Amino acid sequence: MIEVGQKAPEFCLPNQDEVEICLKDLKGKWVVLYFYPKDNTPGCTTEAKEFTEALKEFEELDAVVLGVSPQDCESHRKFIQKHSLEVTLLCDTDHEVLKAYGAWGKKKLYGKEYEGVIRSTVLIDPDGKIAYIWPKVRVKGHVAKVKETLEKLKEQRGV
């Protein structure tokens, strides 16, 4: 399990346009890495829309917002098009990044256990270290909490 202060696990994943995005290329920026279960589901759509609405504010805070789920790039393209999303969505079809960040594991639904995405968000600082973790996210109000935490962390660092 990842912890605050440790080096963020490196990754390279294709985005919705099949362009590879690597964490190492984002050094010097804050990275909001949010993990969500599935394109076009109510909670995931709300979360993606709220991150899109706040994207300019995150950019002003020198942050990049990346959504990660196990869907393929075509699914992400359709999701973005259908809801006019502006966030970058990464395709983790083999669950490697989800697992590395503790966002893949056992879940329960109606008494049945299964493996799936644990909705969570990780904030990575400009040095590539884990700055904050939201391990089990409730969508309502989450984007505002992430932005608020980022502002506080930047303030503490005098940036």
Side-chain angles (χ1 to χ4, degrees):
M1 194 64 181
I2 58 168
E3 293 180 19
V4 170
Q6 83 176 56
K7 188 174 175 353
E10 287 293 335
F11 65 83
C12 288
L13 287 174
N15 72 3
Q16 67 274 1
D17 300 318
E18 299 183 40
V19 173
E20 191 171 72
I21 305 290
C22 297
L23 182 60
K24 68 180 188 299
D25 298 332
L26 301 172
K27 286 268 192 288
K29 290 204 170 285
W30 290 86
V31 178
V32 175
L33 196 60
Y34 79 95
F35 299 96
Y36 69 99
K38 194 171 182 190
D39 295 337
N40 287 306
T41 56
C44 300
T45 301
T46 298
E47 189 174 25
K49 283 181 168 183
E50 288 182 5
F51 270 120
T52 292
E53 287 167 17
L55 200 55
K56 296 281 183 271
E57 295 167 67
F58 279 105
E59 288 169 356
E60 287 168 12
L61 293 165
D62 205 26
V64 175
V65 177
L66 302 171
V68 180
S69 82
Q71 275 73 55
D72 62 26
C73 299
E74 184 180 352
S75 175
H76 286 349
R77 278 194 299 276
K78 288 177 180 174
F79 183 41
I80 286 170
Q81 195 171 11
K82 181 176 180 178
H83 299 286
S84 303
L85 302 175
E86 293 176 26
V87 290
T88 298
L89 301 179
L90 303 180
C91 316
D92 188 16
T93 54
D94 62 6
H95 313 147
E96 291 304 312
V97 176
L98 288 157
K99 288 175 184 171
Y101 281 85
W104 183 264
K106 289 207 185 314
K107 296 175 74 172
K108 268 189 177 171
L109 185 65
Y110 305 118
K112 288 186 181 180
E113 254 190 33
Y114 66 98
E115 294 256 302
V117 177
I118 299 161
R119 187 187 306 276
S120 50
T121 301
V122 175
L123 183 60
I124 301 168
D125 74 14
D127 300 322
K129 292 192 173 135
I130 304 290
Y132 203 91
I133 302 168
W134 291 266
K136 289 188 177 161
V137 168
R138 294 260 178 255
V139 173
K140 188 174 170 64
H142 177 62
V143 172
K145 287 179 194 162
V146 174
K147 192 168 73 69
E148 192 178 298
T149 301
L150 175 56
E151 288 168 342
K152 282 181 186 166
L153 289 171
K154 285 189 69 148
E155 196 176 294
Q156 286 170 4
R157 293 171 181 228
V159 184

